Amino acid sequence: MFKNAIVRRPAPSMVEGITSAPHLGQPDYLLALRQHDAYIKALEGCGVAVKVLEAAPDYPDSCFVEDVAVLTPSCALITNPGAPTRQGEVAMIVDCIKGFYPEEKIGRIDSPGTLEGGDVMMVGNHFYIGQSARTNAAGARQMLDFLLGYGYSGSTAALSKILHLKTGLSYLENDTLLITGEFVGQPDFAAFRQIIVPPEEAYAANCIWVNGKVIVPAGFPDTARAIALAGYEIVLVDTSEFRKLDGGLSCLSLRF
Ligand code: CIR
């Protein structure tokens, strides 16, 4: 169960955030703020206390706070994002993390290692780490070494077509995985009960399980139905403006 979540308010500069989908247009900042409000309410409705960090206008992608830290029940890791324009976001999260974890339980990913939290999926005591354009082998190695010290295990999974591991995978607890694209059919994930997200709804493969409920992006009815049929209470949140920056539901918070 999660007790806490951390989010960062989007800044007006978000319209200059990194995107692989310029055809979706620039985000509407005011609409993004309203969607962010609804996202916070949805998290609170799942029973977590939400710590809201103020916007950081110097960093257009800083509302995607998931990428700068990995938080576990016993330790925290400050990452080193692979996107150069995002590396400065790390310094801004440290004080907040120190409010929740003692200093000796906070690790760091150091250059030349890079790692973004979107590439990390926690399944019980095991961590899957995506090796992507943002997370390199050295970053994954550092993370595995750190986690081993706390009794966790980990493994890497290569990805080539999508931004982050959790762009195409979400763990919904109960041995259940929401899965799409290049991960479908991969032996690493074959043992899970799988909810396969069709290519036309691929964005909805990024959902978040929060204390028994699953927050699902609005506008993907087949995926929402499949998750509900699997026995989950679903909560819809519209993230259209964050999608324009390749961001999904998990990217917008750290849950722990
Ligand atoms: C980026 O490219 O870094 C942002 N525009 C989107 C980050 C999404 N984060 C995530 O999937 N964890």
Side-chain angles (χ1 to χ4, degrees):
M1 299 289 274
F2 296 124
K3 285 199 187 113
N4 298 292
I6 299 169
V7 303
R8 184 180 292 286
R9 294 297 273 168
S13 60
M14 76 177 286
V15 299
E16 290 147 27
I18 306 169
T19 183
S20 67
H23 60 279
L24 295 177
Q26 269 202 343
D28 173 332
Y29 176 59
L30 294 179
L31 180 54
L33 282 180
R34 290 201 294 278
Q35 292 180 345
H36 202 255
D37 289 338
Y39 179 76
I40 292 169
K41 282 214 172 68
L43 287 171
E44 288 171 343
C46 295
V48 294
V50 183
K51 166 93 183 152
V52 182
L53 302 175
E54 62 186 33
D58 289 346
Y59 298 97
D61 288 295
S62 54
C63 61
F64 301 116
V65 73
E66 171 180 67
D67 292 319
V68 295
V70 176
L71 304 181
T72 84
S74 24
C75 55
L77 190 61
I78 309 287
T79 72
N80 184 26
T85 58
R86 301 200 58 190
Q87 285 172 348
E89 292 175 32
V90 163
M92 297 186 312
I93 199 77
V94 174
D95 280 349
C96 174
I97 302 298
K98 283 184 184 163
F100 291 99
Y101 292 85
E103 193 131 9
E104 67 275 12
K105 293 195 171 171
I106 303 176
R108 310 269 319 208
I109 300 292
D110 297 313
S111 293
T114 65
L115 186 132
E116 296 190 359
D119 277 319
V120 178
M121 183 174 74
M122 183 176 179
V123 176
N125 287 333
H126 188 84
F127 287 78
Y128 291 90
I129 306 172
Q131 274 183 231
S132 67
R134 302 288 183 86
T135 294
N136 65 17
R141 185 71 261 156
Q142 288 178 31
M143 175 162 185
L144 289 170
D145 289 345
F146 176 72
L147 291 173
L148 279 176
Y150 289 88
Y152 294 117
S153 60
S155 55
T156 57
L159 54 123
S160 59
K161 300 195 178 111
I162 52 177
L163 177 61
H164 288 128
L165 185 76
K166 284 185 294 191
T167 310
L169 284 177
S170 302
Y171 185 55
L172 305 183
E173 303 296 321
N174 315 302
D175 257 339
T176 303
L177 208 52
L178 198 56
I179 183 164
T180 198
E182 61 189 286
F183 299 123
V184 176
Q186 272 200 19
D188 281 351
F189 306 112
F192 290 96
R193 173 170 80 141
Q194 298 192 349
I195 301 173
I196 297 179
V197 178
E200 63 280 9
E201 292 203 358
Y203 176 76
N206 183 268
C207 288
I208 46 176
W209 177 96
V210 188
N211 300 341
K213 301 183 192 181
V214 178
I215 306 182
V216 178
F220 302 90
D222 291 347
T223 306
R225 199 173 307 115
I227 297 170
L229 275 174
Y232 295 95
E233 180 181 338
I234 61 169
V235 180
L236 295 179
V237 174
D238 193 353
T239 50
S240 64
E241 303 316 291
F242 301 99
R243 183 184 182 199
K244 293 173 180 173
L245 301 176
D246 303 328
L249 285 162
S250 77
C251 325
L252 289 168
S253 62
L254 290 158
R255 302 158 301 283
F256 58 107

